[in-house]
Amino acid sequence: MSDLFTPTAEWRRLPDRYAVVRRLGALLYNVAATIVVTVGVGLFVDWAWAAAAAAAGLAWTTWRVVRAGRWVRSFGYAEREQDLLITHGLWHKQLTAIPYGRMLSVTVESGPIDRAWGFARVELVTASVQSSGSIPGLTASEAAALRDRLITAGEAQALPL
């Protein structure tokens, strides 16, 4: 079954240290959300329910922090002659093939946590929402090189208007 989501190609994986960034992001965002929800429930409902909300929030945060490493290891991309393949997912595996000729734009973005660790995300935009894709966790040099390769391949295989 795994052959369905990883066709024969030279697959590139995300760096292992990107899991630290995912863990840190999950920790910061989920703890902040848990605090807001806990205080809101405590002020407007009851502090006993707030304790339950805090426990649920901390359990969810722990789950996200623990599975970040597996999520990073499940992500991969492959540049083939005619298309870019992106695969990811732990429970719901997904494989997306994006033909170079269908790409409309390639963007590189980086949030505050990603920038602090030297990572960026390459986003591909196509005419279809279903075939758009993104590749997170690339170093700045890898992201720039991938962006340039994708733009070159897209221009070479662009469909005539």
Side-chain angles (χ1 to χ4, degrees):
M1 188 65 157
S2 66
D3 292 344
L4 180 63
F5 298 102
T6 53
T8 303
E10 185 180 329
W11 288 94
R12 295 180 183 204
R13 299 293 175 180
L14 302 181
D16 290 335
R17 67 185 185 100
Y18 185 62
V20 175
V21 173
R22 294 283 300 190
R23 287 182 177 115
L24 185 59
L27 191 63
L28 290 175
Y29 296 130
N30 288 337
V31 167
T34 299
I35 290 170
V36 169
V37 169
T38 300
V39 170
V41 169
L43 291 175
F44 296 110
V45 180
D46 184 26
W47 287 103
W49 284 103
L58 291 176
W60 177 250
T61 301
T62 302
W63 170 248
R64 295 227 20 231
V65 167
V66 167
R67 78 181 184 113
R70 287 190 60 223
W71 185 90
V72 167
R73 286 189 300 275
S74 77
F75 201 100
Y77 68 98
E79 298 173 67
R80 298 195 307 181
E81 189 173 319
Q82 298 293 322
D83 56 11
L84 175 73
L85 300 176
I86 301 173
T87 186
H88 62 88
L90 294 174
W91 291 348
H92 299 281
K93 295 290 287 178
Q94 181 178 349
L95 174 69
T96 304
I98 304 170
Y100 295 129
R102 301 285 298 171
M103 290 189 310
L104 297 177
S105 68
V106 179
T107 61
V108 178
E109 58 185 40
S110 185
I113 297 174
D114 286 339
R115 272 194 314 275
W117 285 78
F119 289 113
R121 168 188 301 267
V122 174
E123 184 108 14
L124 298 101
V125 179
T126 65
S128 169
V129 175
Q130 296 293 332
S131 65
S132 296
S134 65
I135 304 170
L138 299 173
T139 63
S141 60
E142 284 178 306
L146 179 61
R147 177 201 60 208
D148 293 343
R149 287 192 308 268
L150 292 175
I151 290 171
T152 301
E155 288 172 348
Q157 298 180 21
L159 299 174
L161 295 176

